Amino acid sequence: MKKYLKEFEKLVDIMAKLRSKNGCMWDKKQTHESLVKYLISESKELKSAVRNKDVENLEEELGDILLQVVFHAQIAKENKTFDIAAVINGLNKKLIRRHPHIFSNYKVKNTKDIIEMWKKIKAKEKADKKKKPA
């Protein structure tokens, strides 16, 4: 597990350096808005790799998607809105919340039950977000 953490930390550090004062001119100019087209493009390339069962390309395209996540998180960190740790923390909490059949004592019979439960939990989360004051 430590190998993954070390590599992930290295990736986050590389992105910070690319966006730093002495970093890459192109990377420093990017915004959430300017990067959307790349996320869409990379998603299509990932879809193609999956469809073609091209495992080698799949690995590369997953890296490109991860780059997009880290890139957006770095921009958000610079804007003081959130960072990659917050993204990961939010995802961890969501996965635990949406899998009560794994992380608590909720019982399911089949995958249909799991999908229905997921949809209910997601709908409740969305409704709860709307209730929160801005």
Side-chain angles (χ1 to χ4, degrees):
M1 183 68 154
K2 291 182 182 186
K3 173 184 162 186
Y4 305 113
L5 296 175
K6 184 178 177 182
E7 291 300 320
F8 190 77
E9 189 174 293
K10 183 177 177 181
L11 171 61
V12 171
D13 289 345
I14 289 169
M15 181 50 62
K17 183 170 182 121
L18 291 172
R19 297 264 311 165
S20 71
K21 181 181 175 189
N22 296 319
C24 173
M25 288 185 297
W26 185 87
D27 288 303
K28 291 190 300 187
K29 286 175 42 177
Q30 300 313 304
T31 64
H32 291 302
E33 294 78 14
S34 70
L35 290 173
V36 169
K37 63 184 169 196
Y38 301 107
L39 178 58
I40 292 166
S41 172
E42 296 301 348
S43 296
K44 288 178 182 175
E45 291 175 16
L46 176 67
K47 180 180 176 181
S48 177
V50 170
R51 280 191 172 159
N52 295 328
K53 297 182 182 354
D54 184 347
V55 178
E56 199 172 287
N57 195 29
L58 176 61
E59 179 183 345
E60 180 181 346
E61 297 309 332
L62 285 170
D64 291 344
I65 295 290
L66 181 57
L67 167 61
Q68 293 301 309
V69 173
V70 171
F71 210 145
H72 281 278
Q74 179 62 35
I75 293 169
K77 181 179 179 182
E78 294 164 10
N79 294 337
K80 296 178 177 36
T81 53
F82 60 85
D83 62 12
I84 193 68
V87 172
I88 295 167
N89 184 45
L91 177 57
N92 288 341
K93 288 178 178 179
K94 180 190 291 187
L95 288 172
I96 291 168
R97 261 192 334 268
R98 293 191 185 176
H99 290 86
H101 59 292
I102 302 297
F103 298 103
S104 72
N105 355 354
Y106 190 88
K107 302 292 181 215
V108 294
K109 294 177 187 152
N110 51 42
T111 56
K112 182 181 176 195
D113 286 354
I114 293 169
I115 293 167
E116 287 176 15
M117 178 187 51
W118 181 281
K119 288 178 181 177
K120 286 179 186 174
I121 293 168
K122 185 175 179 177
K124 184 180 180 322
E125 290 169 357
K126 299 269 184 212
D128 289 348
K129 268 189 180 177
K130 287 182 181 178
K131 289 179 187 175
K132 282 186 181 178

